Amino acid sequence: MTDVVAEPTPEVRPDRPTEKPNRPYFSSGPCAKPPGWALERLPHGSLGRSHRSKLGKSRLQYAIDLTREVLQVPDTHRIGIVPASDTGAVEMAMWSMLGARPVTLLAWESFGEGWVTDAVKQLKLDPKVLKAPYGAIPDLAAVDFTNDVIFTWNGTTSGARVPDGDWIPAGREGLTFADATSAAFATPLPWDKLDVTTFSFQKVLGGEGGHGVLILGPRAVERLESYTPAWPLPKIFRMTKGGKLIEGIFQGETINTPSMLVIEDYIFALEWAKGLGGLEALVARADANAAAVDAIVEAYDWLDHLVADPAIRSNTSVCLKFADSAVAGADEAAQLALVKKLAALLEAEDAAYDVAGYRDAPPGLRIWCGATVDTADIEALGPWLDWAWHSIRA
């Protein structure tokens, strides 16, 4: 390994592109707003009102109902809006339900690693941990479903996802906990295989941060009503009272005060999604965007996918690495410096915002391809990536 990026072979530098993405928002969270979004288009009757008023609760319930409709969640599952984004939803489930039986955690990127840390260091459990490096996933056939199983459906920081739910048995003994924050609304989720599912507004639908969504299947409710963990639970994690589920949480009565502005913003995105044609249309948009990134990778020999296997490659958080041999052979610090320069140049040109890879991931780029991004903008991004690369390497 070398500590500097080697000088490139002299080559023809491409002309500066003339066409820019109309909306150069490629951040992996908070993500691009839905096309046509504008602050003045949000209903504001609930703003300044109590979230416990008839109006406030009705808007929260409407958000839950639209979530069920667009995600095609069966009536057997409860949906609640909870504090602290997807992280809060995952923590709420882990602290409330783990400890009843052995636990297996799957980790192949930073957020999965975070759930391992919580299980080991905070809850003091002794879980079985199945790990894989960035760009891969663990052996799903090795998962023991007599245990509770926690995994990220889509690794936001690595771009690797599970291919489907076929690896999860219908007759499992433990519960499945799926952190689906960058998968919900971009891929069909097999609700019969998922006991606990979490996500946040600010990913595929481009909502604002601070709130999470927790979806519980019947087996998860049974666990909550039959098991009391050995550790104390903070108030914002408590979902039962007197051994019974607090049903109000799943009927618009949030545990703490939500931002009604965020809720109205989420409702706007859900109505936009419903108007497109629902889940199938959202998946199709994400797939088209990911295919546009595939075409960019094919066009430029200095760029490659971090996830080599297309079967497990994300259609939302698409992560890329440097294929140029001189750069790939440099040390991590040199590659990170190059990423920083690329991202800064693209932002200065208003051609792409927030495309640097995640700080814990291998050096490279990350292009968000969720449903709120227009495919034409990704297609317009390609020449800018190539121009910025050659401008810096020159």
Side-chain angles (χ1 to χ4, degrees), residues 2-344:
T2 61
D3 58 1
V4 296
V5 175
E7 290 298 321
T9 302
E11 54 187 293
V12 177
R13 179 179 171 182
D15 293 335
R16 183 177 179 277
T18 56
E19 180 184 351
K20 292 183 180 181
N22 183 48
R23 295 186 302 138
Y25 302 103
F26 301 108
S27 164
S28 290
C31 303
K33 290 296 188 185
W37 180 93
L39 188 59
E40 58 270 20
R41 294 187 63 187
L42 300 185
H44 56 272
S46 67
L47 306 187
R49 296 290 307 275
S50 168
H51 64 293
R52 301 195 187 282
S53 68
K54 183 178 180 180
L55 175 61
K57 286 195 289 188
S58 71
R59 296 302 282 172
L60 286 159
Q61 183 65 62
Y62 181 49
I64 290 171
D65 292 344
L66 278 176
T67 300
R68 184 180 303 279
E69 181 178 357
V70 175
L71 277 181
Q72 301 175 6
V73 180
D75 292 341
T76 53
H77 288 53
R78 291 168 171 84
I79 303 173
I81 296 171
V82 300
S85 191
D86 176 64
T87 300
V90 175
E91 296 279 8
M92 193 173 180
M94 289 179 64
W95 282 69
S96 297
M97 287 180 253
L98 292 188
R101 60 171 54 242
V103 183
T104 296
L105 290 103
L106 281 63
W108 61 89
E109 49 93 53
S110 61
F111 289 103
E113 291 279 2
W115 310 141
V116 172
T117 297
D118 289 347
V120 174
K121 294 187 176 181
Q122 304 302 322
L123 298 179
K124 308 298 183 183
L125 300 172
D126 184 22
K128 180 178 181 180
V129 179
L130 301 177
K131 292 188 178 185
Y134 277 80
I137 62 173
D139 178 8
L140 300 179
V143 178
D144 181 359
F145 283 96
T146 63
N147 293 1
D148 290 336
V149 178
I150 303 174
F151 66 99
T152 52
W153 189 280
N154 179 92
T156 309
T157 65
S158 73
R161 65 177 178 178
V162 295
D164 49 44
D166 293 349
W167 57 285
I168 303 173
R172 60 194 177 279
E173 295 179 33
L175 300 181
T176 52
F177 296 69
D179 172 358
T181 196
S182 57
F185 300 105
T187 189
L189 295 173
W191 297 109
D192 60 324
K193 301 293 185 72
L194 304 179
D195 300 305
V196 178
T197 308
T198 67
F199 65 88
S200 57
F201 301 163
Q202 71 262 35
K203 294 296 184 181
V204 180
L205 289 189
E208 294 300 302
H211 300 67
V213 174
L214 177 66
I215 302 179
L216 303 180
R219 300 176 74 247
V221 174
E222 182 183 9
R223 171 73 62 85
L224 285 166
E225 293 185 337
S226 63
Y227 167 70
T228 301
W231 43 79
L233 286 179
K235 179 180 179 181
I236 60 171
F237 288 176
R238 296 174 202 157
M239 290 183 277
T240 61
K241 185 175 182 180
K244 293 294 182 182
L245 190 72
I246 302 173
E247 294 287 358
I249 296 173
F250 307 94
Q251 298 170 357
E253 298 175 10
T254 54
I255 293 174
N256 70 337
T257 304
S259 164
M260 294 309 298
L261 181 59
V262 171
I263 297 303
E264 295 294 356
D265 183 73
Y266 180 46
I267 288 172
F268 180 96
L270 287 165
E271 289 179 336
W272 168 79
K274 181 179 177 180
L276 283 179
L279 182 61
E280 291 79 7
L282 295 173
V283 173
R285 283 179 65 91
D287 285 347
N289 291 338
V293 175
D294 289 345
I296 291 171
V297 171
E298 287 293 321
Y300 306 124
D301 59 6
W302 58 270
L303 199 56
D304 200 359
H305 282 286
L306 179 60
V307 180
D309 182 359
I312 61 167
R313 191 178 294 156
S314 172
N315 67 341
T316 56
S317 54
V318 180
C319 297
L320 308 175
K321 64 180 181 179
F322 299 122
D324 180 279
S325 58
V327 175
D331 69 11
E332 186 173 285
Q335 293 188 57
L336 288 172
L338 182 58
V339 170
K340 187 175 181 179
K341 289 180 181 179
L342 273 171

Side-chain angles (χ1 to χ4, degrees), residues 347-367:
E347 182 168 345
E349 292 285 346
D350 293 319
Y353 303 144
D354 311 314
V355 295
Y358 191 73
R359 61 180 180 269
D360 293 334
L365 304 176
R366 181 171 56 161
I367 312 299

